[in-house]
Amino acid sequence: MQTTNSSRETILGAIRNSLPKDKVEHPRIPHFQRSGERLKTEFERHLQEAGGVAHDVATVAEAEARLMTLHPGAKVICSAVPEIAGTRRAEDRDPHEFADVDVGIVRALFGVAESGAVWLTQEDLVVDALAFLSQHLIVLLDPEQIVSDMHEAYRRVRLDETAFGCFMMGPSATADVEATLVHGAQGARSLNLFFLPPAQMPVVPASTKTSRPEPGA
Amino acid sequence: MSNAKQVDPAKAAELFIIHDQIHEPMHDRFLWGTMQRRDAEAAAIPEWEELREIASKIKEHTLTHLDHYLEEFEANATKRGAHVHWALDAAEHNEIVHSILKDHGVKEMIKSKSMLQEECHMTPFLENRGIKVIESDLGERIQQLDGQPPSHIVFPAIHKTRKDVAQLFARTVGTDPNNDDPHLLTEVIRNNARPRFLATGAGMTGGNFAIAETGTFMVCTNEGNADIGASVPPLHIASIGIEKLIPRVEDMGVFLRLLARSAEGSPLTQYSSHFSGPRKGGELHIVLVDNGRSRRLGMADFWHSLKCIRCGACMNTCPVYRRSGGLSYGATYSGPIGVILDPTFDEFKYSELPFHSTLCGSCSDVCPVKIDISDQILKWRRVMAERGYLPLVKRMSFAVAGHVLGHPEEYHAMEKVAAPAMDYAPHFLLYNRSLNPWGRSRELPQIAKQTFRDWYLANRSEHADDEQ
Amino acid sequence: MTTQTEATNQSTISKDTRIALFIPCYIDMMFPEVGIATLQLLERFGLNVSYPLNQTCCGQPMANSGDEANAAPAELLFVENFKEFDFIIGPAGSCVKQVRCHFDVIDQTDDVKHVRQRTYELVEFLHDILNVDSFPWAEFHHSVAIHNSCSSIRGLGIAKPSEIMGVPFDKTADLLSKVKGLVLTPVDRPDDCCGFGGTFCVTDEAVSARMGLEKAHDHLRHGVEYVVSPDMSCLMHQQGIAQRSGLDLKYIHVAQVLNGGPF
């Protein structure tokens, strides 16, 4: 690739010449007071406002049954989670191979109550494209893994450990024609979220839950 | 400065208003509705004003240490496997992008919305060199098909009705001109874009934030189009303005709580994606672009405009923007933020923009990073006046008024005689009476039979002994 | 930037306090009744009010357009006329904002600083300095919408702008609510700019007129009879629009309502 070393030096030099004389300190970000609302309730409310739907499912069997009710005609159900098999396992393949996926199933590490968003990383998705090429998404979330707001959320993410991470708040949306809300602009047309703790199987690395510091009180 | 013609936002806005009774009221209504949602979302956050203050300070901190954070970002992004390029200006940005695409044999590229790429006029540059560029954001795609730039930095086609879009798609994509259901129109573009995403060799994005601590950049969309472009093709190129830096991951919490609430009245955009190095099996290029930003950093009155996070709240709240439509500004950036950014690119061409404002101040109050937009608009007027860019009628009448208003004896002499006062009043109140733009839509106020001063002299004579 | 004025309590106002009346040029010439109402109202509180006869204009039309060179003579004359006073009170938010916030290009002498700090808009003076709790002489049996000008709201802080989060307040409403018979009527967009904007109303005539017309329709929709404002310039524009369009709305200055006339 071409080197642009001289531009780099020119830009940094110009910046140094232009830097405002009075330096500004980085402010402290305080811990803000939280509302008393139960995190799970707040999460569900916001997810619904974002166009997603939350489901309480007691068992894996119930989750699978709900999946079939929601997407009865789905031909390709691609699963990145151990609990639900689907019709295809998400494997580390070329992203183009995910173009025919009707329903993608993924597990989010945690959710954020103030928005209804879930945090999904490249590791959770196996291949990033699964989250965006699938026509519909099912997201599994442990109801115990909900943080209050984006401050807590960012204390929890590890951007130094993954090449891709996304706060996903419901399905794809647009309001570009007469400010009318439409779901399924380019990404998933729907997002259903199942509250389901990870199955206690040895194949599930426990590290995702234990190695991360809990957000501040 | 260029030889480009001055843009005339007042004239263009007038055409938008008189065009019909549909577009301008709709435009105003949608953006006002967005503001109402923004107000409700902001009101639900007790620490909203504190967040604005913190965000403002983080940006000011970053900008006053920008060299340091750019180097830190570059080092970390490189460590994560990204190729980092530096572009002095738009031309170099476009050259860099072109050369990457050429090296990879890319003939058609699909991109998500990036105001920086608009600013660089990248699409015509690439298309002139045989590379087809497809916008994937619905609003941007509508504007691209219509041969227009975006009219709003968040809602690019907000000035169009659904009928406009249906007719445009009928012309360009071949759909039914009479079916103007937004669901259908959205589906048309989804189906049109999908095979392109799968066929293309490269996806391009912008970047909303770049985090120095981890070499990560962030892209916010509602459609997921940037994510498809980044996750499917083997090559991802991101254009990022050097002012998008923030120091730490922790800072993102502040900005993401403010951004979408300010932009559209929702807690977040549907997708807030973080790219730290290339995806598995992919290649990532980041182009850091200056294009006048380092110079702006040195402008004592205007460097705070670099704090902008491109939420568009100032446009939504601006009563002038809502009635004008974004295309009236004749520039990449419209609305209040455009008024203060555009003259940094070309003072003469955009010399009228600072006057396309009532200075109501709402933009400064709504700005999530507390840019003193309204004060900067006034300061740009001062610059334009010093450069002699005030319209001639205004210049002449101000010179007369400036003298008379500094000389009470002349002022009151004029005021005393009724007829000259009638004649004179419009000159300092209404400035260019010959064109009579006041009277086109308004009745003229009546000159009183007795001025307050005369009443005072007649009724408070005990105070009036110092009369001249 | 708004210059904060120091808090002053009622006890500092006495017969010896030198109070000046600042009557903006357009009020002098076209709305003398507003000047009369302001003077009479202040006199009702036993204040010793002077009207410096050499006043012309605060320089706003020029300064507002960025033409500081032509604004300076008017600004310097203003300082000369008012520098000896403890309080300078004007019934016009935008003109007071011009003095307080935008006399920043001329040399910042002690006189300039004094005048900038001591110039008050009428509503804030009544509300913050005099702490007026009643207007027993005033009655107004009408449905009233308040139009606090943008300068008054966002420049002087006489009401909370809708964009800023926090506890709402409105000093004009506080004062008007003490007037017998007066019914305050909420509207859809109380603090959306009416489109006057000084020179803007002629340089950007189409946008200005559209904004003014929508303002009038907002008032009509809510059954407003009178639009009352601390800024006569906004009203001059709105009134011109309403008259031209044949809309049945009346426009008067807050001083006239609080003083009980003249109308």
Side-chain angles (χ1 to χ4, degrees), chain B residues 452 455 460, chain C residues 20-24 27 31-45 47 49 89-92 120-123 126 253-256 259 261-262:
Chain B
F452 172 77
W455 176 90
R460 295 290 187 277
Chain C
L21 190 58
F22 158 35
I23 298 299
I27 290 183
F31 306 99
E33 65 278 11
V34 173
I36 295 165
T38 305
L39 177 63
Q40 289 177 343
L41 181 60
L42 292 172
E43 286 172 345
R44 285 181 192 272
F45 296 105
L47 305 177
V49 184
I89 301 156
Y120 284 81
E121 185 277 323
L122 176 66
V123 166
L126 296 173
H253 193 276
V254 67
Q256 295 166 272
N259 185 54

Side-chain angles (χ1 to χ4, degrees), chain B residues 24 28 38 49 322-323 356 362 381-382 405 415 429 431 437 439 441-443 448 452-453 460, chain C residues 28-30 43 53 56 61 64 68 104 163 165 189 192 201 204-205 208 210 214 237 240 244:
Chain B
E24 180 273 326
D28 171 69
R38 174 266 176 204
E49 296 301 331
R322 276 188 267 112
R323 274 73 174 205
H356 195 53
S362 180
R381 291 184 181 186
R382 290 174 182 171
L405 295 173
E415 220 189 21
L429 288 166
Y431 312 112
S441 308
R442 284 167 284 229
E443 292 301 318
F452 172 77
R453 188 173 185 274
R460 295 290 187 277
Chain C
D28 178 52
M29 217 181 281
M30 288 182 282
E43 286 172 345
L53 289 166
T56 58
N64 192 47
E68 292 298 334
D104 57 346
E163 311 87 37
M165 298 303 124
R189 303 183 179 189
D192 197 28
C201 73
D204 238 303
E205 187 263 346
S208 170
R210 179 56 60 106
E214 283 179 35
H237 157 74
R244 173 59 59 88

Side-chain angles (χ1 to χ4, degrees), chain C residues 22 43 55 83 90 92-93 105-106 108 113 126 142 146 152 159 161 175-176 203 207 211 219 221 225 228 258:
Chain C
F22 158 35
E43 286 172 345
Q55 55 186 294
K83 66 183 182 190
V105 179
I106 52 174
Q108 296 299 293
K113 282 190 242 173
L126 296 173
H142 297 285
I146 293 172
S152 300
L175 298 182
L176 287 175
T203 56
V207 175
M211 288 164 68
H219 290 141
R221 262 200 309 280
E225 295 170 76
V228 174
L258 297 178

Side-chain angles (χ1 to χ4, degrees), chain B residues 341-379:
Chain B
L341 287 181
D342 296 323
T344 66
F345 294 103
D346 191 328
E347 275 180 15
F348 177 72
K349 184 176 178 187
Y350 301 118
S351 56
E352 282 289 321
L353 292 188
F355 299 94
H356 195 53
S357 161
T358 62
L359 299 180
C360 79
S362 180
C363 47
S364 303
D365 285 349
V366 83
C367 177
V369 290
K370 298 183 89 164
I371 301 172
D372 52 342
I373 304 176
S374 189
D375 291 345
Q376 289 194 34
I377 294 175
L378 180 62
K379 285 173 180 166

